Each structure stands twice: as C-alpha cells, then as structure tokens.
Amino acid sequence: MSDNVKIRLATSNDTEKLLEIYAPYVAKTSISFEYKIPSVEEFSARIEKTLKKYPYIVAEINGEILGYSYTSEFNKRDAYNWAVEISIYIKENKRKTGLGRKLYEAIEKISKAQNITNLNACIACPNVEDRYLTRNSIEFHRHMGYKTVGKFHQCGYKFGYWYDVVWMEKIIGYHDSSPNPVILFPDLNKKVLRDIGIE
C-alpha cells in the first residue's frame, strides 16, 4: 500500500476528514487522553495554529486521507526551540500498512530542514494491555528509532483505568555550541518541501 501514498500538507479543508480519523481515538481508546471529541471549529483552529510554526501533513491514496502527523511545541521557553513533540493518527482499518512510517519519515525530514534536533513523543502506556490501550504505539516508535527517556506513573485516568505515560525521544540533529536558529515551517523554501516529497 505504501508505494501509492501521497504525502501533502494539511489544509483547513481537510478538517472534517482528519477529525473523522481522530474521533475514534477519543471515543474508543485511551491513546488520546481527551474525553470529549473536539468540534470541527476547534479542530480546525488547532490545525491552523500548528501550521504557523510546524508541519501538519496527511497521507492519502486516490484522494482519500488515511492518516496524518504533525509536530508541536515541546515547551514555551525559548531554550526548548530545537525540540518538538510529534503526533500521529492513522485511520482505524489502515494501521500497520506502512502509512505511519511514511508520515514519520516525512516529518523527520521537514524537522531537520527546520533545524530541529529532538523529536519527542508522549505515549499512554498500560501496565497491563486492555481493550482501550495496548503497547503498539510504543513498539512503533521503538521501531522508528525512538528510545524511552522517561515514565510518569498512573497520571492518566480514562474508562476506569489508570495509565502511565512514557516519553520517547529521537535525536535527529547535532547539538552544536551555536545551533542554527529554528526555521518556522511557513518560511521553509518550497523547493525543500518538494525535495522531501511533500506536495
């Protein structure tokens, strides 16, 4: 499947389709710690806010959006500029098809072009797998080269269960004594995106 995937930038016109992908993660899983599915308006605002500084991309086949990924602020303090939090959501029936790898590889290339050095993932972790949460996300990130760097115990409660949260990290750049400033996503050269394969 992954050979036919088109990776492109998300737009506000994609909001409803992206929300359709995200909603089951809220309503039926503990992958998202949100209790309430956001409105179309709220979700659209989240996309627009992200795109002011970071990439928000979708994977589609024959015009159908099957997954999306984005990065966001790791922390508001200036010293954290070179670190971001990464997120990904795949349509329920399209998991384990190579879409996640395609999206993450693209996000990683964009982040490098922005001079980002650290990718961080915040992942819900069950002590014992249940019908709401497995360790699949942790295994996916490990497969993509992420390492566990921290764990918070029983800090999330959903569907009657307490869950741990792990932070996983991937270093994608050099930590020089005088790092290049981070380039805002809208300021990236369009040729850079084309070279990465983003339409």
Side-chain angles (χ1 to χ4, degrees):
M1 168 188 282
S2 58
D3 291 340
N4 303 318
V5 177
K6 173 184 174 182
I7 305 293
R8 65 167 176 80
L9 299 182
T11 72
S12 57
N13 293 331
D14 299 319
T15 300
E16 291 188 16
K17 293 298 182 183
L18 297 182
L19 186 54
E20 285 177 11
I21 292 172
Y22 179 63
Y25 286 91
V26 177
K28 300 192 296 185
T29 81
S30 294
I31 293 171
S32 169
F33 276 2
E34 287 198 86
Y35 281 12
K36 183 180 177 182
I37 297 169
S39 67
V40 171
E41 293 76 19
E42 180 182 353
F43 205 74
S44 180
R46 293 181 187 183
I47 295 171
E48 290 178 10
K49 179 181 178 182
T50 297
L51 284 169
K52 289 179 181 178
K53 188 172 182 180
Y54 301 107
Y56 204 122
I57 60 175
V58 304
E60 63 180 16
I61 295 179
N62 298 325
E64 180 186 4
I65 297 175
L66 302 176
Y68 65 95
S69 183
Y70 60 93
T71 56
S72 56
E73 193 172 59
F74 180 66
N75 190 289
K76 294 182 184 300
R77 305 292 187 190
D78 289 342
Y80 290 100
N81 283 348
W82 292 266
V84 296
E85 183 176 349
I86 189 167
S87 301
I88 187 169
Y89 294 94
I90 304 295
K91 196 170 183 179
E92 283 183 291
N93 63 347
K94 300 298 180 182
R95 298 176 191 167
K96 298 185 178 181
T97 60
L99 288 171
R101 173 176 285 279
K102 285 274 190 181
L103 285 164
Y104 259 33
E105 287 175 346
I107 282 282
E108 185 172 318
K109 289 175 183 176
I110 295 170
S111 297
K112 283 182 178 180
Q114 289 184 276
N115 297 323
I116 298 296
T117 59
N118 296 42
L119 297 176
N120 303 282
C122 181
I123 305 168
C125 174
N127 286 310
V128 178
E129 292 189 353
D130 57 53
R131 63 189 179 118
Y132 301 109
L133 188 65
T134 68
R135 296 179 63 87
N136 286 346
S137 184
I138 294 171
E139 295 305 320
F140 166 74
H141 283 82
R142 185 172 291 123
H143 186 68
M144 292 300 299
Y146 287 71
K147 295 181 179 179
T148 301
V149 292
K151 186 174 187 178
F152 297 86
H153 298 94
Q154 295 184 319
C155 60
Y157 179 79
K158 189 173 180 181
F159 298 132
Y161 294 90
W162 285 101
Y163 295 107
D164 297 342
V165 166
V166 297
W167 277 95
M168 300 186 75
E169 176 186 68
K170 184 174 184 178
I171 305 300
I172 61 169
Y174 297 101
H175 295 91
D176 298 325
S177 58
S178 298
N180 291 322
V182 172
I183 301 171
L184 299 183
F185 180 69
D187 295 336
L188 278 182
N189 189 304
K190 287 184 170 53
K191 183 180 181 302
V192 171
L193 295 179
R194 287 197 301 271
D195 290 344
I196 292 171
I198 305 297
E199 299 183 26

